[in-house]
Amino acid sequence: MSRSGVVAAELHVGSVPAAAVLQAVRTGGPITRDQLVLATGLSAATVNRQLHALTRVGLTVERPDLVDPGSIGRPKNPLTTDRDKLCVAGMHIGAKRTLLAIADIGGRTLYSHAVATPSGDGNDAISQLSTQLSELADRFSGRRLMWGGVALGGDVDEHSGVVDHPVLGWRRVPVGLRLTEALGVPVSVCEHVQAMAAAELLLGFPQDGGGTGLFCYARETVGMAITFDGKVRVPARGAGTIAHLPVDAPLLAADAVQVSPLSTTLQDVIGSEALQAAALRRGQTPEDHELLDERARVLGQSLAMMRDVLNPDAIVVAGDAFAGHPRGLAPIQAAFDAASHTPWPLELCPSRFGLRVQEGAAIVVALSVLYADPITSVTLSAD
């Protein structure tokens, strides 16, 4: 952990024995020791050692009350995560609103609500938001707060927690430091689309982290993340961008960028402001099918371009731009199928979090280090 209290998020399925056992209990519980041996591939002795350590720090608990009364022979006490002792606090900072959330160690949201993202100076804004999250965490005084997490756009230094956010006008804002000062616990800070992809891997049930995946988010901004075999790729120099991808969108593009199709980018046409401006120019409403059809086509074609380059095993999409068409993903899928040059079909999958994708991103950043190295992270948070 750095002197600032910031720890880089661990956006992958844990591989150390304690992480493997905790994951099996979390995703398969109530579960017996014998079942854990089968689920993890670890020896019975190793499973017992890890369970002893996990129970000692308050992460797992035996549940004799869940023993099947009709079972034959000596009863075997099932185990579950201990959802009553610990909690984490997370926030997702968006261009217009920020979601604040408290969750237990299983990833279950205990409480969440949204506030307006403060405008103006970034230091003042993150101080306000950190204070609000701290006040929310104080309502759960019966639990020990063990970690904080922040998911947001922009250029994020995961090791220092310092952020540049062009949309908000933030420059070198110490997001991690401000939050750890407010919460008094270690904090992780992560680019938000990478965090959303991690939520699909770590908080989803059942888990399937194999192969290569592409996660794409489109709301007021657009972004993507790539996963390889249960791990979100985090480039050393920050997340890349797909906002500048050229698109042909004559209805949605503003007059100023209609010089040629290549002068219009995905970011120019993806958000609600672009939709409203196009509707105003055309004397229509933002719900007009012509405009929504064009946005669906643009999204499908852009996804096809990325698919042909990366050839992922799965594509997951999230955000209002994907959810806003009255026929759902169907027109986006049709445009994707028509534009892709890869010969085998691939079905686009909506995020399993639906409208709560920002909530999942906030929570998984706060939980990721715990899931990667449970014993060390609980010890670290208690120091």
Side-chain angles (χ1 to χ4, degrees):
M1 182 171 68
S2 68
R3 292 182 180 180
S4 66
V6 177
V7 181
E10 299 281 354
L11 306 183
H12 59 86
V13 176
S15 58
V16 300
V21 172
L22 179 62
Q23 176 182 316
V25 173
R26 182 172 60 86
T27 60
I31 188 170
T32 66
R33 283 172 165 79
D34 290 345
Q35 291 169 330
L36 281 170
V37 171
L38 293 174
T40 62
L42 300 171
S43 69
T46 299
V47 166
N48 283 329
R49 282 196 302 271
Q50 303 311 317
L51 283 173
H52 177 75
L54 292 168
T55 301
R56 176 175 51 82
V57 297
L59 295 177
T60 58
V61 61
E62 285 197 350
R63 295 289 303 276
D65 57 307
L66 297 179
V67 173
D68 182 359
S71 59
I72 299 174
R74 183 179 178 181
K76 297 177 179 180
N77 292 338
L79 295 115
T80 66
T81 52
D82 190 339
R83 293 177 175 247
D84 298 325
K85 293 186 176 69
L86 304 173
C87 67
V88 296
M91 70 168 78
H92 176 276
I93 302 175
K96 296 182 179 180
R97 68 171 198 155
T98 293
L99 185 135
L100 309 176
I102 306 295
D104 67 19
I105 60 167
R108 177 185 60 178
T109 302
L110 301 174
Y111 184 84
S112 69
H113 73 274
V115 299
T117 301
S119 58
D121 180 73
N123 280 282
D124 291 342
I126 193 59
S127 293
Q128 291 179 47
L129 293 173
S130 297
T131 298
Q132 289 174 302
L133 186 58
S134 177
E135 291 172 349
L136 180 59
D138 287 343
R139 300 182 192 177
F140 295 83
S141 57
R143 298 170 180 264
R144 178 165 76 84
L145 179 67
M146 63 165 296
W147 215 273
V150 185
L152 74 169
D155 184 9
V156 179
D157 186 326
E158 59 175 337
H159 298 287
S160 68
V162 174
V163 175
D164 291 338
H165 199 307
V167 174
L168 292 175
W170 293 5
R171 173 68 179 166
R172 305 298 298 166
V173 176
V175 171
L177 176 61
R178 292 290 173 264
L179 186 58
T180 197
E181 288 174 345
L183 295 179
V185 296
V187 164
S188 299
V189 184
C190 182
E191 195 277 332
H192 70 152
V193 181
Q194 293 172 0
M196 293 174 191
E200 299 290 327
L201 286 176
L202 299 178
L203 300 182
F205 299 91
Q207 289 189 333
D208 181 12
T212 304
L214 175 66
F215 182 95
C216 188
Y217 175 78
R219 193 180 182 190
E220 299 305 320
T221 58
V222 64
M224 77 163 190
I226 303 171
T227 62
F228 294 103
D229 293 330
K231 182 174 183 177
V232 180
R233 181 177 180 270
V234 181
R237 296 189 178 181
T241 178
I242 58 173
H244 67 284
L245 287 180
V247 299
D248 180 14
L251 302 184
L252 286 168
D255 293 338
V257 295
Q258 287 191 33
V259 178
S260 72
L262 294 181
S263 66
T264 304
T265 69
L266 186 57
Q267 183 61 59
D268 290 330
V269 302
I270 212 65
S272 60
E273 290 185 3
L275 200 61
Q276 292 166 359
L280 183 62
R281 289 195 305 271
R282 297 174 57 82
Q284 299 171 328
T285 68
E287 293 78 26
D288 182 86
H289 281 209
E290 280 189 310
L291 300 177
L292 295 178
D293 286 346
E294 181 167 272
R295 186 171 69 175
R297 176 180 57 77
V298 164
L299 285 169
Q301 291 173 344
S302 298
L303 286 173
M305 184 187 306
M306 291 183 277
R307 185 266 179 106
D308 290 344
V309 172
L310 300 171
N311 195 19
D313 299 301
I315 298 178
V316 177
V317 297
D320 290 354
F322 286 107
H325 198 285
R327 292 194 289 123
L329 282 178
I332 301 174
Q333 181 76 57
F336 173 85
D337 293 340
S340 177
H341 292 273
T342 306
W344 46 87
L346 183 63
E347 183 177 358
L348 305 178
C349 299
S351 167
R352 66 191 74 197
F353 294 93
L355 297 176
R356 300 174 61 191
V357 65
Q358 293 92 354
E359 184 179 292
I363 291 171
V364 80
V365 178
L367 284 169
S368 67
V369 178
L370 168 68
Y371 287 172
D373 193 349
I375 308 302
T376 301
S377 63
V378 174
T379 304
L380 183 63
S381 71
D383 291 342

